[in-house]
Amino acid sequence: MTDNREGPTNPLVTAMLTDLYQITMTYAHWSNKRHEDDAVFELFFRKNPFNGEFTIFAGLDECLRHLNTFSFSDDDIDYLKTMPALQHCDPEFFVWLRNLDTTGVTVYAMRDGTMAFPRVPLMIIESPLAIGQLLETTFLTLVNFPSLLTTNAARMVRAAR
């Protein structure tokens, strides 16, 4: 059987595009048997860029592509085991990480290109606690920069008129 799920357009966007904080928090959830608890994460911003009046939401497509193929490879797991902050982890945690899937994740979001305002959720992610934790940094990365570029382009077009 072939896997024809489309992943992110940038090959560097993998489960490893996160930070150590997210992995250690996930371990805390896992070791306290809270990793499967239902959770809701809201992705929003606090201020419009450029002291502007609005932001244009962008990056949803890449978030969904990442979600579609989210997994840790054997090489990822081997690397994580070498991290000093993770060397105390129960070996079963790494087995669990290797076998993660995102079938229990639901995403609600604005459409790409929608005008957005501070403190209004751009995306709402319902998921098991640990998976939402692992997706957080990547989703922020995949939304923040494209939204910044899109907003700047919209401001330039508006100023040129």
Side-chain angles (χ1 to χ4, degrees):
M1 182 169 149
T2 12
D3 183 359
N4 52 359
R5 298 177 297 172
E6 275 194 75
T9 55
N10 182 336
L12 296 176
V13 178
T14 70
M16 293 293 282
L17 182 61
T18 189
D19 52 45
L20 188 56
Y21 167 80
Q22 303 294 13
I23 307 253
T24 56
M25 284 299 297
T26 299
Y27 181 67
H29 300 317
W30 182 86
S31 63
N32 288 298
K33 300 186 180 4
R34 304 283 315 269
H35 59 292
E36 293 293 332
D37 287 2
D38 291 335
V40 177
F41 294 82
E42 293 183 342
L43 190 148
F44 65 93
F45 60 93
R46 289 183 178 88
K47 289 179 4 184
N48 286 315
F50 316 110
N51 294 318
E53 300 165 350
F54 62 88
T55 297
I56 303 296
F57 173 56
L60 175 62
D61 56 336
E62 288 298 311
C63 289
L64 296 177
R65 286 169 172 261
H66 175 60
L67 185 64
N68 198 31
T69 58
F70 181 88
S71 67
F72 288 93
S73 69
D74 290 333
D75 287 343
D76 295 339
I77 297 300
D78 289 344
Y79 175 75
L80 289 172
K81 288 178 180 177
T82 70
M83 300 297 298
L86 300 176
Q87 289 182 347
H88 70 284
C89 292
D90 182 328
E92 285 302 308
F93 172 67
F94 297 107
V95 173
W96 175 81
L97 268 182
R98 180 64 182 102
N99 294 315
L100 270 180
D101 72 61
T102 57
T103 55
V105 177
T106 303
V107 175
Y108 303 94
M110 292 182 173
R111 292 183 183 175
D112 268 331
T114 300
M115 189 177 295
F117 300 95
R119 293 183 172 76
V120 175
L122 305 170
M123 295 173 63
I124 298 172
I125 297 92
E126 294 178 351
S127 70
L129 179 59
I131 294 175
Q133 189 83 53
L134 290 169
L135 292 170
E136 183 180 32
T137 297
T138 312
F139 279 6
L140 286 168
T141 301
L142 294 174
V143 166
N144 286 348
F145 187 64
S147 294
L148 182 72
L149 290 178
T150 306
T151 302
N152 197 31
R155 288 169 44 90
M156 288 181 191
V157 167
R158 192 170 155 203
R161 288 186 176 167

